[in-house]
Amino acid sequence: MHDVFPGGDPRGDSRAVPDSRGSAGDAWLFGRSWRTPLLIVAAGAVAMMTAACGAERPIAPAASNAPGATAAAARAASPLPSPSPVPTATPLAISGPTFVLIRAPDITAGAHLNFQGQGFLAGEQAAVSIEDAQGAVEASLDPATISRDGNLDEVSIVLPDGIGRGDHVLHVSGATSGRTARAKFTVRIITPKISLDTYSAKSNHTFGFSGSGFAPREQVDVRLGGLGGAPLASFQSDAQGDVTAQDVPLPLIQAGDYLLYFVGEQSQTPVSVGFNVQGFSPWVVLDTYSAAPYSMMGFTGQDFVPGEEVEVYLGRRSGKPLIRLAADVNGQFAVKNAFNLPDLAHGDQQLLFVGHQSGAEITAKFVVLPFSPSLQLTNYAGRPGTLIAFTGDGWARGETLHAYIGEGRNQVATFQADVTGAFNAAGGFRLPIGTIAGGVPLAIRGDTSQAEVTLWYQALELKPSAELTAYKGPPGTVVSFTGRSFAGGERVRVHLRDRGGPELASTVASEDGTIEHVSSYPIDGNWGDDIHFVLVGDDSHAEGATDFKIANPEN
C-alpha cells in the first residue's frame, strides 16, 4: 500500500514518508520542520520557471503594409491605462504529501487505535473507514475534522466489534480535497486470562471468575472437564473483552481434580484452569445422646448435597422412615423436636440418616434411659385375704403389667397401663390365704418398658376371735355373733359346740376380716349349762370360739 503524493508519485510505506531532505524521521513531527525546505524548493522551481520564460520573450514584429497594421501598431505603441484590481480565488492550502500514521500498528482486540494525519485541506471533513486486506470496507467510523494547518490531529478509537484478528487498513479521505491516505494495522491474537474466586469447591455449589482478553461482547462458555457437551454457563464479555461472573453452578460429580475451560464463541481460544471438586463428608449431631423414654429428639446435619432429601430411620433402614427432610442450599439442616421416641427398650439405639443424592448413610448412636416408673399400694398391711391394688405412672404407654407376690414370684394379677403409662387402683388381688405373717414382696413388671418395681407388704397373722352380744342369761336368751381377724372377704360360719356341729348362721367377712351382729340365736338349755359356739372361716379354716352360760344374769 502506498501513500498518494502530489503529482501521483508513490513514496512507499506511509510510516516512513521522506521529506525534502530525504529524512524519514521528520515526517512523524507534525510541526513545521518538514515544510520549510519543501516550500523553498517549490519557490526555487517557480523562480527558475519564471526566468526561463523571460529569456525566450518574442521581439515585436516590424511595420507592415497589411491592412490594419498601422492601427494595430498605433494601439501597441500607445500607453494603456492600468486596469482595476479583480478579486481572484484563494488557492487550496495544501502543501506536502498526504499520509496517515498509526501510533501502534499492532494492537489487540478491544484496544484503542490511535492515528494522525497530514496533507489535507484545512478545515475539511475527512471520512474514516476500516478496510480488509482486499480493500472491502469493514466498518465506517465517525468523520474527522481537519485542523486549520491541514493536519489530522490524533484520534483515538476503540475498534468496532466486527473487526477480527488479522491485517486491516485504516483509510482516511478528505471530503473536499479528495486526498486520501491509508495505513495498515494488525489485530493480534492474545491469550485470554482467567482468575477464579476459588480453586476448590464442592459439587452442586457455585464459584465465580473474572477474565480478560476475549473478543469484545462475545459469549464466553464455561465448561468442566472437556470442550464437549453443554457448558456450565455462558457470559458475555464487555466492549474491552473483559468478563466477570458469579454463581457459576457446579454439577453433582465425583470428587477429584478437573479442568475448567473458558472458550469465547468468536475468538475460539480456550483457556484452562485447574479446579478441585471436593467430596461430601456428611455428619450429624444429635441434640441429646442420653434420651428418656418418649422424649423429643432433634439433630443437626452438615455437608450434605445442597437440597438433597434425607430420610431418617430408627434402628435400621427398613420400612417407612421416621421423618423426611431436605438439606438447604448449603447442605445443612437443623430440626428441633423432630419426633417423639416410640416405645423402646432401654439401652443402645441409633438413628440412620440416608442422603438420596450423596448416597451417604450416617449412623448416630444414642442411649435410651430406663423407665423410672412410680408404684404405690392401696394398703401396705393386712391379713391373708385382704384386697390389694396398685397405683402408678411413668410406665410405657398402654403396656401390659404383671403383679407377682412372694419370693417365688407367683403371678397374682395382670392389667394394662393407660395411654399415658399410668394406672390407679388397678390389678387388685387378695393376699393369699396361707401367707405367712411378715414382710411379703409385691413386684410389678412391664412387658414394654421392661421396668420392674418391688414393694413390701406386711402380712398380718390370722387370729380370729368370736364375740357374743351377751355371755349369760336364762334359757331362751337371744344372742348375735361377732367375729374378728378372719381372712378378708371369706365366708364365716357359726357352729354350735364345734366346727362339726349344727350351723347356726353364716356371713362374709369384711376386707379386714370382721363379721358383726350375725343372725340371732335363742339359747336353749338348762340352768348351769355352758353353751359353746365356734366361728369358722371357709377359706382360712381358722376358727374363733366363745361360750354362753345359762344362768341368772343377776348372779
Side-chain angles (χ1 to χ4, degrees):
M1 183 191 67
H2 300 87
D3 291 319
V4 179
F5 286 80
D9 292 334
R11 299 293 185 179
D13 196 323
S14 63
R15 288 173 290 179
V17 179
D19 60 17
S20 58
R21 296 167 296 178
S23 172
D26 291 337
W28 177 249
L29 302 175
F30 283 79
R32 303 298 186 195
S33 62
W34 57 271
R35 288 186 176 179
T36 303
L38 187 60
L39 291 175
I40 294 172
V41 172
V46 173
M48 291 174 62
M49 290 175 64
T50 304
C53 291
E56 296 175 2
R57 191 168 162 181
I59 301 174
S64 175
N65 294 327
T70 304
R75 286 194 300 271
S78 301
L80 297 176
S82 299
S84 300
V86 178
T88 60
T90 303
L92 295 177
I94 299 176
S95 61
T98 300
F99 58 88
V100 64
L101 295 175
I102 297 176
R103 173 172 294 183
D106 289 342
I107 62 174
T108 58
H112 283 258
L113 180 68
N114 296 337
F115 58 92
Q116 295 174 309
Q118 184 174 305
F120 294 93
L121 180 64
E124 72 174 326
Q125 292 291 302
V128 183
S129 62
I130 297 176
E131 302 171 351
D132 61 17
Q134 288 73 40
V137 175
E138 294 180 299
S140 295
L141 308 181
D142 292 338
T145 301
I146 304 301
S147 63
R148 296 182 62 183
D149 57 2
N151 292 339
L152 173 60
D153 294 333
E154 183 167 338
V155 177
S156 180
I157 64 166
V158 176
L159 288 180
D161 293 345
I163 306 303
R165 291 171 293 188
D167 293 336
H168 303 273
V169 175
L170 177 70
H171 184 189
V172 180
S173 176
T176 302
S177 66
R179 288 199 168 196
T180 63
R182 290 178 172 84
K184 186 178 74 172
F185 66 94
T186 302
V187 178
R188 297 294 182 188
I189 298 174
I190 62 172
T191 301
K193 296 181 180 179
I194 292 293
S195 177
L196 305 181
D197 62 359
T198 179
Y199 290 82
S200 180
K202 293 183 181 294
S203 59
N204 242 34
H205 286 69
T206 62
F207 66 93
F209 72 93
S210 60
S212 61
F214 292 91
R217 294 189 173 84
E218 72 171 332
Q219 288 296 120
V220 178
D221 293 340
V222 184
R223 299 176 183 274
L224 179 66
L227 296 175
L232 299 180
S234 294
F235 304 93
Q236 187 179 47
S237 63
D238 60 18
Q240 285 72 46
D242 297 335
V243 60
T244 301
Q246 297 294 328
D247 300 326
V248 182
L250 284 171
L252 182 60
I253 57 176
Q254 293 293 326
D257 293 326
Y258 294 82
L259 286 177
L260 282 172
Y261 290 92
F262 300 81
V263 187
E265 293 183 0
Q266 295 176 18
S267 58
Q268 288 295 302
T269 303
V271 180
S272 63
V273 179
F275 193 83
N276 175 259
V277 176
Q278 303 172 20
F280 290 94
S281 300
W283 50 274
V284 174
V285 175
L286 304 182
D287 289 350
T288 178
Y289 289 86
S290 182
Y294 302 117
S295 60
M296 298 293 292
M297 293 293 293
F299 37 75
T300 300
Q302 300 279 346
D303 208 22
F304 285 81
V305 175
E308 81 169 314
E309 184 180 273
V310 180
E311 293 180 345
V312 184
Y313 295 87
L314 180 61
R316 57 192 180 91
R317 186 177 180 179
S318 64
K320 185 178 180 181
L322 285 176
I323 187 173
R324 286 187 175 92
L325 51 91
D328 62 18
V329 295
N330 297 314
Q332 304 174 355
F333 56 80
V335 184
K336 298 294 184 183
N337 300 327
F339 58 87
N340 282 102
L341 285 175
D343 294 331
L344 292 174
H346 69 274
D348 294 337
Q349 299 291 337
Q350 68 179 22
L351 289 175
L352 180 63
F353 296 82
V354 180
H356 276 206
Q357 291 176 274
S358 62
E361 292 191 9
I362 300 96
T363 300
K365 295 184 177 182
F366 64 100
V367 174
V368 177
L369 298 175
F371 281 83
S372 299
S374 66
L375 181 67
Q376 298 87 38
L377 303 177
T378 53
N379 57 83
Y380 287 85
R383 296 177 179 83
T386 303
L387 181 63
I388 305 170
F390 304 93
T391 296
D393 59 19
W395 298 81
R397 298 167 181 172
E399 74 171 325
T400 299
L401 300 114
H402 304 274
Y404 302 92
I405 187 171
E407 300 293 344
R409 295 181 64 83
N410 296 318
Q411 183 169 315
V412 292
T414 299
F415 57 98
Q416 301 289 129
D418 64 18
V419 293
T420 67
F423 46 86
N424 184 34
F429 73 100
R430 293 186 181 278
L431 187 64
I433 302 300
T435 300
I436 299 174
V440 179
L442 297 179
I444 299 293
R445 181 176 179 80
D447 282 351
T448 303
S449 65
Q450 298 295 299
E452 183 172 310
V453 178
T454 299
L455 298 175
W456 287 83
Y457 189 84
Q458 185 63 35
L460 303 177
E461 185 179 1
L462 284 176
K463 288 185 177 181
S465 63
E467 299 174 5
L468 298 174
T469 53
Y471 289 94
K472 66 178 179 177
T477 300
V478 177
V479 297
S480 59
F481 307 94
T482 295
R484 302 182 189 282
S485 299
F486 286 89
E490 71 175 333
R491 180 168 288 278
V492 178
R493 301 178 188 275
V494 181
H495 295 270
L496 180 64
R497 291 190 299 274
D498 56 38
R499 67 172 54 217
E503 182 178 322
L504 303 180
S506 71
T507 189
V508 176
S510 65
E511 291 301 320
D512 64 356
T514 299
I515 61 172
E516 292 182 315
H517 308 296
V518 178
S519 186
S520 295
Y521 179 74
I523 303 299
D524 293 329
N526 299 312
W527 293 100
D529 287 343
D530 189 5
I531 310 299
H532 190 67
F533 299 97
V534 178
L535 281 65
V536 181
D538 281 359
D539 297 330
S540 65
H541 304 293
E543 65 179 46
T546 187
D547 294 282
F548 183 85
K549 181 74 173 180
I550 297 177
N552 187 344
E554 294 180 358
N555 294 332

